[in-house]
Amino acid sequence: MSTKSRARFALLVAVILASGCAPEEGTVEIPGFIETTFDGSASPPALVELGRHLFHDRRLSVNEARACATCHEQKKGFTDGFARSIGATLQVHPRNAPTLTNVVHRPLLNWRHPTPTSLEAQLLVPLLGTAPVEMGMDGLENELLSRLANEPTYQTLFAAAFPEPAPFGPGLISLERAAQAIAAFERTLVSDDSPFDRFRRGQPGALSEVAREGMAVFFGPRGGCGQCHNGPDLDRTSTQVTDPPGYFNVGLYDLDGAGAYPAGNQGLVEATGVASDMGRFRVPTLRNVAVTGPYFHDGSTSSLRQAIQIHLDGGRWVPEGPRAGDGRMNPLRDPRLAPRILSARELWALEVFLRHVTDEGFLTNPAFADPWPSR
């Protein structure tokens, strides 16, 4: 990478970090609106295949121990299953890896910050960020490009995706193009064939009787869940995919009786400085929620039933320890989280319904799988 290009990339990374975090088997449905942020000349199918290889390649980390797919495992709904994610240097992060399920629909990519807004730019945070270290490649961009250039598979894949040489980097290969390819692959991670989806498409037998009861609780006044988990991805207050998801305080903590959350993990307030944004985090999609635990931004709840109960209680009571406090009394808690009492059957049915939002085909689709031989 040239000095000029490195300086431009360093500036872009600084801005982002200051603001906050043809397939061998199967087929990939290419969205018609794949962004081409860096280079509009790319061919989407070839770009996606290149991105799939890069997404699963451990050479993108400082010690070649982690790939994007390490923190975003397909069988776990493209999360990592940890309460708090762990970087290549074994640094424990303050939050867990959000799911990439249907990220193509998601204008907000981070738990607590509204930027960056594009997947291409967001990739630079884990790749080059230092607080915390994720992939650990800051200052090693030339080495990364050399690793990729020395892999014969990439010589073929980059040439197919980008017919014109890059103005920087060795030949066809550059960080910008790698970012674009990974983002293109991530936009194909579309989940829309759960039993819930099939029911919505007119197959009444797709949901069991109990699941239908749970759906009525979820969207009705008894559960009230649909007030914040609506739309095609169950991640916004509206049924329209074009309306943005919001940031909400669910009463997970109240350290001081005035709404305080733990330092370094206080939500949107860390981006805006607005006191009322304390404890507000982005509403996550509930797609494949049965396999994406632990739950909440810091993984502080291990089971789906526990997460449901905290919402129904209107917050969480932590009786002792450094995070003791009664989140149910948090004055900044969203009023839609008013306590609700369900019968045992309603609670069971609600959980059954949420488990029917699991798309087994998505979790096993070979088009998203690791293309590299075991290494």
Side-chain angles (χ1 to χ4, degrees), residues 71-148:
C71 287
H72 298 283
E73 292 186 54
Q74 182 178 4
K75 67 181 180 181
K76 297 175 182 175
F78 290 95
T79 63
D80 61 9
F82 289 103
R84 295 161 59 192
S85 296
I86 301 173
T89 59
L90 302 183
Q91 182 176 358
V92 179
H93 297 183
R95 287 166 294 281
N96 52 47
T99 178
L100 295 180
T101 300
N102 289 0
V103 72
V104 66
H105 299 157
R106 200 149 299 121
L108 300 174
L109 301 175
N110 294 319
W111 275 113
R112 64 185 179 97
H113 206 290
T115 59
T117 58
S118 79
L119 288 169
E120 289 86 351
Q122 195 280 331
L123 172 69
L124 302 181
V125 177
L127 185 67
L128 304 177
T130 58
V133 171
E134 297 184 56
M135 306 295 273
M137 294 304 295
D138 181 54
L140 300 174
E141 294 91 335
N142 286 333
E143 179 178 337
L144 172 57
L145 295 177
S146 178
R147 291 178 188 178
L148 300 183

Side-chain angles (χ1 to χ4, degrees), residues 43-67:
S43 171
L47 189 66
V48 169
E49 184 61 3
L50 170 60
R52 182 167 75 110
H53 280 73
L54 290 165
F55 185 86
H56 287 280
D57 196 337
R58 295 193 297 273
R59 281 170 288 204
L60 270 66
S61 64
V62 59
N63 50 12
E64 301 190 37
R66 273 173 167 70

Side-chain angles (χ1 to χ4, degrees), residues 12-350:
L12 176 59
V13 172
V15 171
I16 291 171
L17 297 183
S19 65
C21 167
E24 296 170 3
E25 295 182 276
T27 59
V28 176
E29 181 179 353
I30 309 299
F33 44 91
I34 281 183
E35 293 181 18
T36 51
T37 301
F38 296 115
D39 187 339
S41 66
S43 171
L47 189 66
V48 169
E49 184 61 3
L50 170 60
R52 182 167 75 110
H53 280 73
L54 290 165
F55 185 86
H56 287 280
D57 196 337
R58 295 193 297 273
R59 281 170 288 204
L60 270 66
S61 64
V62 59
N63 50 12
E64 301 190 37
R66 273 173 167 70
C68 303
T70 306
C71 287
H72 298 283
E73 292 186 54
Q74 182 178 4
K75 67 181 180 181
K76 297 175 182 175
F78 290 95
T79 63
D80 61 9
F82 289 103
R84 295 161 59 192
S85 296
I86 301 173
T89 59
L90 302 183
Q91 182 176 358
V92 179
H93 297 183
R95 287 166 294 281
N96 52 47
T99 178
L100 295 180
T101 300
N102 289 0
V103 72
V104 66
H105 299 157
R106 200 149 299 121
L108 300 174
L109 301 175
N110 294 319
W111 275 113
R112 64 185 179 97
H113 206 290
T115 59
T117 58
S118 79
L119 288 169
E120 289 86 351
Q122 195 280 331
L123 172 69
L124 302 181
V125 177
L127 185 67
L128 304 177
T130 58
V133 171
E134 297 184 56
M135 306 295 273
M137 294 304 295
D138 181 54
L140 300 174
E141 294 91 335
N142 286 333
E143 179 178 337
L144 172 57
L145 295 177
S146 178
R147 291 178 188 178
L148 300 183
N150 289 331
E151 169 56 58
T153 299
Y154 282 130
Q155 296 174 18
T156 300
L157 291 175
F158 270 92
F162 299 97
E164 298 298 328
F168 38 79
L172 297 166
I173 298 174
S174 71
L175 280 182
E176 280 94 337
R177 288 183 166 185
Q180 186 182 356
I182 293 173
F185 169 70
E186 290 173 339
R187 292 188 180 99
T188 68
L189 302 179
V190 174
S191 174
D192 63 359
D193 197 36
S194 68
F196 171 59
D197 292 303
R198 294 195 292 273
F199 180 84
R200 290 172 60 235
R201 289 196 290 265
Q203 300 179 34
L207 290 182
S208 67
E209 179 181 352
V210 174
R212 291 196 297 272
E213 289 179 28
M215 183 174 65
V217 172
F218 183 94
F219 288 109
R222 294 287 294 162
C225 314
Q227 294 180 96
C228 297
H229 290 284
N230 213 315
D233 286 334
L234 303 178
D235 67 343
R236 54 201 74 199
T237 59
S238 167
T239 60
Q240 301 300 314
V241 70
T242 53
D243 292 342
Y247 296 88
F248 294 94
N249 185 331
V250 298
L252 203 59
Y253 297 101
D254 186 5
L255 304 185
D256 60 357
Y261 269 51
N265 228 355
Q266 297 182 329
L268 187 62
V269 66
E270 295 170 298
T272 66
V274 176
S276 59
D277 286 337
M278 171 69 71
R280 294 179 64 194
F281 290 85
R282 189 201 69 191
V283 176
T285 176
L286 296 185
R287 286 191 172 275
N288 303 303
V289 68
V291 300
T292 58
Y295 302 99
F296 300 109
H297 63 278
D298 58 356
S300 54
T301 299
S302 60
S303 77
L304 180 57
R305 176 64 69 91
Q306 289 175 322
I308 293 170
Q309 191 63 60
I310 287 171
H311 284 80
L312 293 174
D313 290 343
R316 182 178 59 175
W317 176 47
V318 181
E320 57 186 5
R323 297 183 175 182
D326 193 346
R328 299 170 299 180
M329 304 301 294
N330 188 317
L332 301 177
R333 186 201 66 189
D334 191 276
R336 281 168 283 201
L337 266 290
R340 301 168 189 273
I341 299 176
L342 300 183
S343 69
R345 182 176 178 88
E346 286 175 319
L347 181 59
W348 172 53
L350 179 55

